[in-house]
Amino acid sequence: MNKAGPALYSLLHTNAGVLALVSDRIYGGERKQKDPLPAISYRRISSEHLHIQEGICGLADARYQIDVWADTYKGAQQLADLVRLALDGYKGTVGATVVKAIWLESSM
């Protein structure tokens, strides 16, 4: 079961800066074109299930794409910065999900 998606949503939804801009407009999957802005959408790109010599260890290395949406370039940059600050370098527990590390791989 993929627990990374709900943990990602929770980290974004409980961040005061992100929440102030997007409210509940955080979508797992695609954002509909008619949905109000600003908004965030995210989707899992891949998951690598990790193993140890004894077998399955219960960890997965999941890659996500996060898109930010706004009416202006400046608004999109502001939201992207808030998302980066909320997630990049995070380690901890979200609900019952242990997050070993989140890091920004690239941005454009």
Side-chain angles (χ1 to χ4, degrees), residues 1-64:
M1 180 177 157
N2 174 29
K3 296 180 183 179
L8 184 64
Y9 176 89
S10 182
L11 286 170
L12 292 170
H13 194 259
T14 57
N15 179 278
V18 171
L19 191 60
L21 286 182
V22 302
S23 184
D24 63 349
R25 295 182 303 273
I26 302 171
Y27 306 101
E30 292 189 27
R31 181 191 71 84
K32 293 180 176 72
Q33 191 169 7
K34 65 177 173 53
D35 290 336
L37 299 176
I40 298 169
S41 60
Y42 63 92
R43 72 183 73 196
R44 184 175 47 174
I45 301 300
S46 65
S47 289
E48 179 182 349
H49 298 276
L50 306 176
H51 298 82
I52 56 176
Q53 191 171 12
E54 293 80 19
I56 298 171
C57 69
L59 297 175
D61 185 4
R63 291 182 65 220
Y64 278 79

Side-chain angles (χ1 to χ4, degrees), residues 17 21-22 37-39 68-83:
L21 286 182
V22 302
L37 299 176
V68 298
W69 307 86
D71 291 320
T72 65
Y73 178 78
K74 183 178 179 180
Q77 279 299 119
Q78 179 185 14
L79 183 53
D81 288 343
L82 288 170
V83 168

